[in-house]
Amino acid sequence: MSSEVRIELPSPPPAALSSPSPFSSTAPTPAVSLRSPSTTDLHDPSNRKFSFKEIPRNRYRLFSACWTIAALGFNDGAVGALLPYIESQYNINYAVVSTIWLANSIGFISTALLSHILYSRLGRAGMMTLGPALLVAMYALICAGPPFGVVVLAFYVGGLGMAMVVAQVNVFASYMVATETTFGMIHGSYGIGATVSPIIATAMINHGIKWHYFYFILLGFNLLGLVFSALWFRGCDRDLGTLYMLKKYQTAKTASANSTTVTLVPEAQTPAPTPAHTPAPATQEDYFSMVKDTPEKEERKERSVYSEALHSKVSWLAAFVILFYQGAEVSIGGWIVSFMIDYRGGAASQVGYVSAGFWGGVTVGRFVLNPLVSRFTTPYRVIFPLCAGVIALELVTWLVPDVVGASVAVAIVGLFVGPMAPSTLTAVSDLLPRRIQTFSLTVVSAFGSMGGALWPFITGMLAQKKGTFVVHPVAIALFVGMLVLWCFLHTAEKLDKKRGEVEERVEEKEVV
C-alpha cells in the first residue's frame, strides 16, 4: 500500500556553517537543500577532504599504502636486473620473456572491468586485503622456480592484485587534504622499493644465488602488507563516506518496493525546528538518508553514475595519459640494463646498478623535486617542462656512446619522471566530480598499471627484431603522446561540464 511521508527541511543555525564536522552528537543539523545532491555541498561528506588530525587512523592507512606500493616498486625495479638470468635459465629470447608483462597487462584489464562490482561488494578494506593476498600467491608461485608457463601465470595473478591496490590507494590519497603531498609520499615509496630491489637482486646473483630466490623477499614483504591493509583499512569507507556515496545510488529497488513518496517541504512553509524534531545525524549513512531522492530519481542515478564515469572525457584522457606515462617509466626501468649490455658493452654484474640509478632518480624526484616545484606552479603546468626535460635526456642516453654518461643521464631522467605521477593524479582528481571519482580513478589507475605492462612487452617484441636500443625511441614517443594529450585536459573538462548541464536540463524537464 502506498504511503506519503512528509519531511520538513529546517534552516540550520549560523553555528552550523563553522562546525568542523556534522557527524558528532553535539553538531547542529546541517542544511538540506532542494537541489540535486550532485551539486557540490560543503556539508556533504562525499565532497570533503580529510586531514590526518581529523581521522588519526588515516596515518596508519597511509603507512600501509606506502608499504604496499613500495612492495610493487620492489617487484618492478628488480625485473630489469633479473631479465638476463631469466632468459638464460629458460633459454628464451626477448619476445618470449616479454610475455610476463603481457600476462600482467591482462590481469590489470581484468580488474578494471570488474572494479565497480568488486568495490560495491567488498569496499576499500576488502579490495586492499584481496589485492595483497593475490600478490602473495604470485610470489609463492615464482619463488619455487617453476616452469616458465607458471611464471607467466603468476604474473597474471599479480596483475589482478596490483591493479586493485594501486586503484584503491590512489582514491584514498585523493580524499586527503594535502592531496599532492600524499600522492608524492605514496608514489615516492614505489621509487624507494624500485631503487633498492635491483641492488639487492644484482648482489644476490653475484653471490651465486638463483634469481627466483629473490622473490622470497617479496613474499615476506607482501605478507606484512596483507596484515597491515586488513588491520588498518577496516572501516575506511565508513570514515571517509565513500562506499556510502556509492550505496546511495543503489537503493532504488528497495525504495520502489516500499512505494513511499517523499515530499520535500520548503523551509518557508515549516516552523522553526526544535532539537526534538531535528536530531543531529549520528553517522554518514544517517546523513545520506536525509538527502535521499524519490525512488524514480534514485533509479536514474543508479544507472547514471556508471554511465557518467564512462562518458567522462577527463577520465578517458587521463587514463591514456597515465597509460603512456607508466608505460615509458617501466619500459626504461625494465630494459635499460639489457641496452647497456648490448650497446654499451657493460657487464651484467655491473650495469644492473644502472636500473637502481634510474629508480633512485624517480624517488628523489617524488620526495624532493615534487614539493619544490609545487611551490611555484600548478600540478597541470609542471608536466610540460618535465616532459621536455625527459625527452632531451632520453636523446642523450640513446646517442652518447659512453656507459658512465648514459648512466648519469638515465638517473636524471628518473629525477624528472618522478614528479609526473603525483602531479598528474592530483590535477585529474581535482577535475573529476566526487560522485564518479572512485570508479574513474580506478579506471585511470588500471590503465596506468596496464601501460606499465603492455609497453614493456611491446618494447621486448621490437627489441627481438631491431635491438634493445628501441627502448629509447619508444619512451620518447610515449612522452610526446602524453604531452599532446595533456594539452587537451581542460578542454575535456569543459566538454564534460557542458554535457552535464544538458543532462540536468533534460532531467528537470522529465521531472516536471
Side-chain angles (χ1 to χ4, degrees):
M1 183 176 180
S2 178
S3 62
E4 181 172 341
V5 177
R6 182 183 180 89
I7 298 179
E8 297 182 350
L9 304 178
S11 298
L17 298 177
S18 59
S19 174
S21 173
F23 300 107
S24 62
S25 59
T26 59
T29 304
V32 181
S33 172
L34 292 179
R35 67 180 184 272
S36 169
S38 62
T39 305
T40 301
D41 186 346
L42 294 179
H43 300 289
D44 186 338
S46 66
N47 293 320
R48 295 186 59 206
K49 291 198 174 186
F50 298 84
S51 67
F52 295 109
K53 187 175 181 180
E54 186 178 3
I55 304 178
R57 194 178 181 85
N58 281 343
R59 293 190 180 97
Y60 302 106
R61 290 169 181 152
L62 177 61
F63 174 81
S64 175
C66 289
W67 182 279
T68 307
I69 295 299
L72 299 187
F74 203 86
N75 173 81
D76 291 349
V79 174
L82 296 176
L83 209 60
Y85 304 98
I86 298 174
E87 295 166 4
S88 176
Q89 175 170 327
Y90 294 108
N91 193 26
I92 53 179
N93 56 30
Y94 292 140
V96 176
V97 77
S98 297
T99 55
I100 61 175
W101 282 301
L102 178 62
N104 235 186
S105 178
I106 296 172
F108 297 137
I109 295 171
S110 301
T111 295
L113 293 174
L114 297 172
S115 63
H116 187 70
I117 297 172
L118 287 172
Y119 178 69
S120 64
R121 283 161 174 74
L122 301 177
R124 183 152 296 113
M127 297 281 277
M128 285 298 295
T129 302
L130 179 59
L134 290 170
L135 290 168
V136 167
M138 169 190 178
Y139 301 129
L141 288 171
I142 295 176
C143 65
F148 185 69
V150 177
V151 174
V152 173
L153 175 63
F155 270 83
Y156 167 74
V157 173
L160 296 172
M162 290 174 189
M164 289 183 193
V165 166
V166 172
Q168 297 308 315
V169 163
N170 283 337
V171 176
F172 168 75
S174 73
Y175 275 80
M176 300 300 105
V177 171
T179 305
E180 189 169 5
T181 301
T182 306
F183 274 127
M185 292 178 67
I186 291 172
H187 290 273
S189 300
Y190 176 92
I192 292 175
T195 302
V196 173
S197 62
I199 298 174
I200 295 175
T202 302
M204 289 176 67
I205 294 294
N206 290 343
H207 283 80
I209 300 173
K210 294 181 179 180
W211 68 269
H212 53 85
Y213 288 165
F214 170 81
Y215 285 90
F216 276 108
I217 301 175
L218 276 164
L219 180 62
F221 213 117
N222 280 273
L223 280 171
L224 282 174
L226 174 60
V227 173
F228 294 155
S229 296
L231 181 64
W232 289 327
F233 271 91
R234 184 184 305 167
C236 182
D237 289 304
R238 180 193 64 242
D239 292 344
L240 304 184
T242 47
L243 192 59
Y244 290 117
M245 190 61 182
L246 180 62
K247 297 288 188 183
K248 177 173 181 266
Y249 296 106
Q250 296 177 333
T251 56
K253 291 183 179 179
T254 303
S256 298
N258 294 332
S259 299
T260 299
T261 303
V262 178
T263 304
L264 298 180
V265 182
E267 62 177 87
Q269 302 175 19
T270 62
T274 63
H277 295 107
T278 58
T283 66
Q284 303 202 40
E285 193 170 26
D286 292 340
Y287 177 77
F288 284 133
S289 68
M290 295 176 65
V291 294
K292 186 175 179 180
D293 287 315
T294 61
E296 293 79 9
K297 210 167 186 179
E298 290 283 350
E299 188 174 359
R300 285 196 297 271
K301 286 185 175 176
E302 183 179 359
R303 298 190 302 265
S304 70
V305 171
Y306 199 57
S307 175
E308 183 181 354
L310 291 176
H311 284 87
S312 170
K313 292 178 175 57
V314 170
S315 297
W316 288 111
L317 190 68
F320 281 97
V321 166
I322 294 294
L323 179 113
F324 288 169
Y325 158 76
Q326 202 159 335
E329 179 188 59
V330 180
S331 293
I332 295 171
W335 287 103
I336 192 64
V337 173
S338 297
F339 168 77
M340 289 292 188
I341 294 172
D342 294 345
Y343 288 91
R344 297 295 179 260
S349 60
Q350 297 176 344
V351 294
Y353 298 109
V354 175
S355 178
F358 169 74
W359 291 114
V362 171
T363 305
V364 173
R366 286 174 182 169
F367 279 117
V368 179
L369 186 59
N370 183 57
L372 184 64
V373 297
S374 64
R375 296 180 182 178
F376 303 101
T377 186
T378 64
Y380 172 76
R381 292 178 179 173
V382 75
I383 296 299
F384 295 99
L386 289 175
C387 275
V390 166
I391 291 169
L393 288 163
E394 267 296 296
L395 287 171
V396 172
T397 308
W398 181 11
L399 300 175
V400 173
D402 178 69
V403 173
V404 177
S407 300
V408 172
V410 166
I412 302 175
V413 166
L415 180 69
F416 282 22
V417 165
M420 288 185 183
S423 296
T424 300
L425 290 169
T426 300
V428 170
S429 63
D430 287 344
L431 295 180
L432 288 171
R434 183 54 61 87
R435 61 188 174 275
I436 66 169
Q437 198 174 82
T438 294
F439 178 70
S440 293
L441 284 181
T442 299
V443 172
V444 170
S445 301
F447 264 67
S449 300
M450 182 174 68
L454 180 63
W455 288 108
F457 167 72
I458 293 173
T459 302
M461 298 297 290
L462 292 173
Q464 182 61 35
K465 292 182 176 295
K466 302 294 183 181
T468 51
F469 77 90
V470 298
V471 63
H472 300 298
V474 167
I476 290 170
L478 290 174
F479 282 119
V480 169
M482 173 185 172
L483 199 56
V484 170
L485 290 176
W486 194 247
C487 293
F488 294 97
L489 186 66
H490 284 295
T491 302
E493 181 199 14
K494 292 176 182 178
L495 292 173
D496 282 346
K497 285 183 177 179
K498 287 182 180 179
R499 179 177 177 273
E501 290 171 359
V502 170
E503 289 182 347
E504 283 183 5
R505 287 197 294 269
V506 171
E507 183 178 320
E508 289 173 1
K509 290 180 181 179
E510 289 178 353
V511 171
V512 174

